[in-house]
Amino acid sequence: MVIEGASVTAIMVVAQFLEVGGDTLMKSATKDGMSIYIFIFYSNLLALCFLLPTTFFHHRKRPPPPIPTSIFFRIFLLSFLNCAVQILMNTGIGYSSPTLSSAMVDLVPAFTFILALISRMEILNMKKRSSQAKVIGTLVSIGGALTVTLYKGIPLISDAFRNIEMGASGNFLSVKQNWILGAFLLANASFFLSVLFITETWIINEYPEELVVTAICCSMVVILSAIVAFIKEGNSKVWILRHNKELVAVCFSGFFVVSMKSVVYKWTFRKKGPIYVAMFNPLRVVIALGLGVIFLGDNLYLGSMIGAFIIVIGFYAVMWAQAQEEHRARENNLFPSTTDSLLSIKSMDF
């Protein structure tokens, strides 16, 4: 069980690396003139071309169970949410940056935690240490993300001191109108992403066929994104992919972000639940900072290091709480309660 938990954690960390990489490539492609709506359509179309044969091959010997009508309508809702999140998220990145996107999605754990409590997917008992650690860890991770976003401090690694306009306190970057609009879109995308997490868990708990659900959802997103792209772009030349950068961005997003990451997320929803998945979002800030320093030559500031350390503490607290709850559940399964044992003995006597 420990090995399985470690493998799920490792897979989720890799998924965050892939998502940050996909955001960076998308930002680079759209900055050179590629339409965000065309990017979303081609990414999902390519993902569908990968998912369909994979699903048929996986179920070549064991056909999937029939899909109930209620599950099908939930998948349609999931597809609508998926399309909305992709449009809002990618448009927000286009107005701002992948780093701000990684920071704003740290609102997802808070949104998901509240929605999970409302939908009764998460039972909170503040008398238990695991519940206390989960709440505190979520708040600490969000605080760390806000520290990375709002506080810069002195540069620790810097090839050149760039001309950055600072606020009156010296700690806030001056923002432009596009940056504020991008943050607003990313905040809305984070809320819809939390709703999407809850909906995916709702579906996969009752119909545990990750590949089938992902393939159907992706096919619906292709149709929805095509309609949006035709409305926004029409029959213009933007439908033609012009250079290698656009092809690389679409291929990376289609194979790794849309298809593989979606399957991994649904599998993790079934294994661990929506809050566990949402808690990996704060790691994207740390990953984006690290990749920016290593590959893009970005400055590393004191505030980024402090915020990253706070995020790791909060993340560890939630992982510890999750492990405690799973350990308690295994103990309850292995050792039935004393009351149940006494009742079974009395029934045998009669």
Side-chain angles (χ1 to χ4, degrees), residues 211-337:
L211 276 173
V212 175
V213 173
T214 305
I216 296 175
C217 179
C218 188
S219 63
M220 292 182 179
V221 172
V222 169
I223 297 173
L224 292 172
S225 61
I227 294 172
V228 174
F230 272 116
I231 294 174
K232 295 294 295 185
E233 305 297 344
N235 295 319
S236 60
K237 295 181 180 180
V238 295
W239 289 87
I240 302 174
L241 299 180
R242 296 171 298 173
H243 46 74
N244 291 335
K245 186 180 292 187
E246 294 182 357
L247 288 172
V248 170
V250 168
C251 291
F252 187 93
S253 179
F255 282 117
F256 295 110
V257 180
V258 178
S259 56
M260 293 182 63
K261 190 210 73 174
S262 298
V263 175
V264 167
Y265 272 30
K266 288 177 178 61
W267 174 72
T268 312
F269 285 135
R270 181 165 56 87
K271 291 283 186 179
K272 301 289 187 177
I275 295 178
Y276 181 89
V277 175
M279 276 309 303
F280 281 85
N281 282 277
L283 292 181
R284 290 177 57 180
V285 179
V286 182
I287 295 169
L289 287 170
L291 294 179
V293 171
I294 295 172
F295 295 106
L296 302 178
D298 292 346
N299 293 341
L300 180 62
Y301 293 94
L302 177 63
S304 300
M305 291 296 295
I306 295 174
F309 181 72
I310 294 173
I311 289 172
V312 170
I313 293 175
F315 177 77
Y316 177 79
V318 176
M319 293 300 103
W320 178 85
Q322 187 79 23
Q324 291 296 311
E325 291 178 354
E326 291 177 359
H327 178 69
R328 190 181 302 113
R330 288 196 300 271
E331 285 186 341
N332 291 337
N333 290 332
L334 289 175
F335 304 103
S337 64

Side-chain angles (χ1 to χ4, degrees), residues 11-312:
I11 291 172
M12 285 299 299
V13 171
V14 171
Q16 304 312 306
F17 272 97
L18 293 176
E19 191 151 9
V20 172
D23 290 346
T24 305
L25 289 172
M26 186 280 301
K27 173 68 176 180
S28 178
T30 54
K31 191 176 181 180
D32 290 345
M34 185 180 186
S35 168
I36 291 175
Y37 307 102
I38 302 300
F39 172 82
I40 294 172
F41 168 72
Y42 278 132
S43 297
N44 285 276
L45 181 62
L46 185 62
L48 182 62
C49 294
F50 172 75
L51 286 168
L52 283 179
T54 304
T55 304
F56 281 117
F57 180 79
H58 178 74
H59 290 286
R60 67 190 186 281
K61 295 182 180 179
R62 183 188 62 85
I67 303 176
T69 305
S70 60
I71 297 295
F72 186 81
F73 281 113
R74 293 179 200 175
I75 295 176
F76 178 78
L77 173 62
L78 180 65
S79 305
F80 179 82
L81 289 170
N82 205 328
C83 188
V85 168
Q86 289 187 48
I87 291 174
L88 288 171
M89 189 71 70
N90 291 325
T91 306
I93 293 172
Y95 279 114
S96 55
S97 73
T99 302
L100 182 62
S101 168
S102 300
M104 292 302 293
V105 295
D106 292 316
L107 297 171
V108 172
F111 288 145
T112 306
F113 195 82
I114 295 171
L115 292 173
L117 289 175
I118 294 173
S119 61
R120 308 295 294 173
M121 288 185 181
E122 182 76 16
I123 305 299
L124 190 63
N125 185 357
M126 292 305 294
K127 294 181 180 179
K128 295 182 178 179
R129 293 176 62 187
S130 58
S131 294
Q132 296 171 4
K134 190 172 289 188
V135 173
I136 294 172
T138 302
L139 295 175
V140 168
S141 293
I142 295 172
L146 291 175
T147 302
V148 173
T149 306
L150 300 177
Y151 177 70
K152 293 297 176 184
I154 61 173
L156 301 178
I157 299 177
S158 176
D159 294 331
F161 290 93
R162 302 175 183 178
N163 295 323
I164 300 177
E165 295 290 338
M166 306 300 289
S169 62
N171 295 329
F172 293 91
L173 291 174
S174 62
V175 291
K176 297 181 180 179
Q177 186 175 1
N178 285 350
W179 193 269
I180 297 174
L181 177 59
F184 175 76
L185 293 173
L186 291 171
N188 280 276
S190 298
F191 175 76
F192 283 112
L193 184 60
S194 299
V195 179
L196 185 144
F197 282 175
I198 298 298
T199 306
E200 281 188 303
T201 307
W202 185 29
I203 294 170
I204 217 68
N205 283 341
E206 296 186 23
Y207 189 79
E209 297 291 340
E210 292 86 359
L211 276 173
V212 175
V213 173
T214 305
I216 296 175
C217 179
C218 188
S219 63
M220 292 182 179
V221 172
V222 169
I223 297 173
L224 292 172
S225 61
I227 294 172
V228 174
F230 272 116
I231 294 174
K232 295 294 295 185
E233 305 297 344
N235 295 319
S236 60
K237 295 181 180 180
V238 295
W239 289 87
I240 302 174
L241 299 180
R242 296 171 298 173
H243 46 74
N244 291 335
K245 186 180 292 187
E246 294 182 357
L247 288 172
V248 170
V250 168
C251 291
F252 187 93
S253 179
F255 282 117
F256 295 110
V257 180
V258 178
S259 56
M260 293 182 63
K261 190 210 73 174
S262 298
V263 175
V264 167
Y265 272 30
K266 288 177 178 61
W267 174 72
T268 312
F269 285 135
R270 181 165 56 87
K271 291 283 186 179
K272 301 289 187 177
I275 295 178
Y276 181 89
V277 175
M279 276 309 303
F280 281 85
N281 282 277
L283 292 181
R284 290 177 57 180
V285 179
V286 182
I287 295 169
L289 287 170
L291 294 179
V293 171
I294 295 172
F295 295 106
L296 302 178
D298 292 346
N299 293 341
L300 180 62
Y301 293 94
L302 177 63
S304 300
M305 291 296 295
I306 295 174
F309 181 72
I310 294 173
I311 289 172
V312 170

Side-chain angles (χ1 to χ4, degrees), residues 1-6 272 326 330:
M1 297 298 292
V2 175
I3 296 176
E4 181 184 348
K272 301 289 187 177
E326 291 177 359
R330 288 196 300 271

